[in-house]
Amino acid sequence: MGFRLALVCSAIVLLSISGLSHAGVTSSYTRVAEPSEEMPLETFPPPAGLNAPEQVHITQGDHNGRGMIISWVTPINDDGSNFVKYWITDSDESTKESAEASTSSYTYYDYTSGFLHHATIKGLKYDTKYFYELGTGRSSRRFSFTTPPKAGPDVPYTFGVIGDLGQTYASNQTLYHYMSNPKGQAVLFVGDLSYADDHPNHDQRKWDSYGRFVEPSAAYQPWIWAAGNHEIDFAPSIGETQAFKPYKNRYHVPYRASKSTSPLWYSIKRASAYIIVLSSYSAFDKYTPQNSWLESELKKVNREETPWLIVLVHSPWYNSNGYHYMEGESMRVTFEPWFVENKVDIVFAGHVHAYERSERVSNIKYNITDGLSSPVKDPSAPIYITIGDGGNIEGIANEYTYPQPSYSAYREASFGHALLEIKNRTHALYTWHRNQDDEPVIADSLWVKNRHFLPEEEETLSGDSSA
Ligand SMILES: *[C@@H]1O[C@H](CO)[C@@H](O)[C@H](O)[C@H]1NC(C)=O
Ligand SMILES: *[C@@H]1O[C@H](CO)[C@@H](O)[C@H](O)[C@H]1NC(C)=O
Ligand SMILES: *[C@@H]1O[C@H](CO)[C@@H](O)[C@H](O)[C@H]1NC(C)=O
Ligand SMILES: [Fe+2]
């Protein structure tokens, strides 16, 4: 199973190598030694009330942003427990609409899930606040969300970016730091949710507690999910051979809306961004479904409508941490030429439990015989950001490779989250926030310049290596 690092590791001061000839920074920030200890199951009891809906979470439910998938769990499949009522906040009660969920339950080893409800509501008004209500009578619960503005090149929109969250006290810090800033409107989540599989027999109750843990955010704004290795839950020794079973049952995404044949890869448009989600743990070689899908998908992106092309994938391609070093290499070799050709703005990945941001580099010149194989600066290349620093049970990944490779602009072994504030078609403010600081403190940030409309070089605003 995963690695669990001694706490003492996190207190070791990382060597700063900023004296070397390249510009990359290895932060000397010393992470305060706090246990990445999991919050016990009792921290998250089910909500009060008979058959009360729980583990409520929402995600975009169509391709354009006028749909929402509302998901929740009830212990019993009662009359009415599979309906969601929804209405525009300032409208009167008579305008309430309702949608019926599809309901299912799954078993995993000795565990049987509650009833998992997923309702897709469509035809919502853009840029509008809605209430929605789940459950009946005294156990009903009310939530709200705001739909995004109609897609357009200069629509400002702010995404939170979180990865490898888990459910430790550190995860809690990450989540509440993100929530304490009112700017975030939707979360880009780069995989590894509950870490249930780090427990005996993949203790599925940990999927339930995870659903309760993230509800305060995920019930109110869409989390755009990508799957990580901890979603695979492939365990033949206990008779569980259907990969991604708990994840696919619990977290629905609008993959059919982008003509995908699998929930593990899909795309959405949201405001001025086009988000492509990929699966590191599904076949991606030539002739495979994911490969064919991505090839035709990239052709559909209209940068005049959605200038910001963003990719989410779990396993990073440009990582200089000892952990998971080069695991993303085969996917990089397969897809990187397309990313450069299509001028992807940013690729967010997780998997490595630390933070790293790359330069705009590419390594696509080589073939197996020509000997040309090293990353070079490339204004058409994405920035690669590894943000697997949500704070899960496996602890911090703080064994870097030295010297710091030239592709690595900034790296730090801390937990945190990021914000991507898209301002218009040319500029987006990107900020990474480490957990140990007050929320307004920014440890790494830059103005990202759009690759289609303003392919100029960026300058780091703060590479705060000595906080
Ligand atoms: C999680 O963080 C919030 C905000 O700081 C705090 O109120 C809550 O008690 C924390 N939960 C746990 C279990 O520590
Ligand atoms: C490999 O690279 C060499 C040198 O640039 C080039 O001559 C050759 O055509 C390339 N082979 C393929 C199959 O692209
Ligand atoms: C886009 O946003 C940036 C950052 O706020 C600003 O400096 C720039 O003037 C804006 N561009 C236009 C055309 O408004
Ligand atoms: Fe991972």
Side-chain angles (χ1 to χ4, degrees), residues 164 190-192 195 228-230 281 314-315 324 350-353 394:
D164 303 66
V190 292
D192 284 0
Y195 288 76
N229 54 307
H230 287 279
Y281 308 102
H314 188 62
S315 191
H324 305 305
H351 203 36
V352 176
H353 302 157
E394 295 180 346

Side-chain angles (χ1 to χ4, degrees), residues 154 423-428 447:
D154 293 304
K423 304 294 185 189
N424 54 35
R425 72 185 70 194
T426 53
H427 285 75
W447 278 103

